[in-house]
Amino acid sequence: MTGLTCGGSAPLMCGDVIFSCSDFTTEDLRGTSVEQLFTNVEADLRVADGDVLVYEEVRFPVAELASVLLEWIREPESERPDFVLDSMSFAEKGVISITRAPGGWRIGSVFSPGVRSGVVDDSSLLREIRRFAGLVRRDVTAAGIDPAFLSETRGT
């Protein structure tokens, strides 16, 4: 399935940070293993903080990102380490990173060195991650795929 807008056209916001995705697709999906679903349920992803583009990627594995972010936020804030995406689709670690900062978290990417979002408080970030995951789940369901895999551990 191609051409869907990830969760509609409205971007997701937490403070000034926006996670948006468009052109949801499953056209490269060749099976139903978690690995196939994580690497081939994709959309064009854009992460921005106001006018600052933190990261942008065509055909990003949004199902994998949503799932690992949900896994990450299960930890209480006091025990939650920095988030560094170790994606099955990229050789590099940190395609998306969320690092602790005074007053909250900052979002960045290994592909955009020196570019980071402003500080986002924990409750806003949690809401944002849950909305993003919910929209990915909705698009996965619209594509006729059971979204239960979004809460599974990668590669199982």
Side-chain angles (χ1 to χ4, degrees):
M1 177 169 267
T2 61
L4 293 177
T5 299
C6 192
S9 60
L12 306 170
M13 294 187 205
C14 56
D16 290 337
V17 175
I18 299 171
F19 285 79
S20 60
C21 54
S22 60
D23 295 328
F24 178 88
T25 183
T26 58
E27 74 179 32
D28 292 335
L29 191 60
R30 301 290 182 260
T32 58
S33 70
V34 172
E35 183 175 299
Q36 273 289 313
L37 292 164
F38 277 0
T39 57
N40 294 304
V41 173
E42 303 166 310
D44 297 350
L45 178 70
R46 180 179 169 88
V47 180
D49 183 0
D51 293 335
V52 177
L53 180 62
V54 176
Y55 180 73
E56 186 172 46
E57 183 74 35
V58 174
R59 296 185 73 153
F60 189 90
V62 293
E64 180 184 33
L65 178 61
S67 187
V68 296
L69 284 171
L70 287 172
E71 198 174 299
W72 179 68
I73 66 172
R74 286 185 187 136
E75 294 291 328
E77 180 185 8
S78 62
E79 298 174 24
R80 195 177 316 132
D82 290 347
F83 174 84
V84 178
L85 180 62
D86 185 6
S87 175
M88 291 185 240
S89 297
F90 294 89
E92 300 82 354
K93 290 183 181 179
V95 174
I96 300 289
S97 62
I98 304 173
T99 54
R100 193 173 297 278
W105 303 90
R106 297 183 77 175
I107 302 163
S109 172
V110 68
F111 293 130
S112 304
V115 178
R116 289 231 170 290
S117 72
V119 176
V120 179
D121 68 87
D122 192 64
S123 62
S124 295
L125 182 62
L126 294 179
R127 280 192 305 274
E128 176 70 5
I129 289 169
R130 288 181 182 120
R131 279 187 287 198
F132 176 73
L135 295 175
V136 170
R137 183 179 306 274
R138 186 172 77 186
D139 285 345
V140 164
T141 302
I145 301 168
D146 181 352
F149 76 95
L150 290 173
S151 61
E152 296 179 19
T153 303
R154 291 186 292 167
T156 60

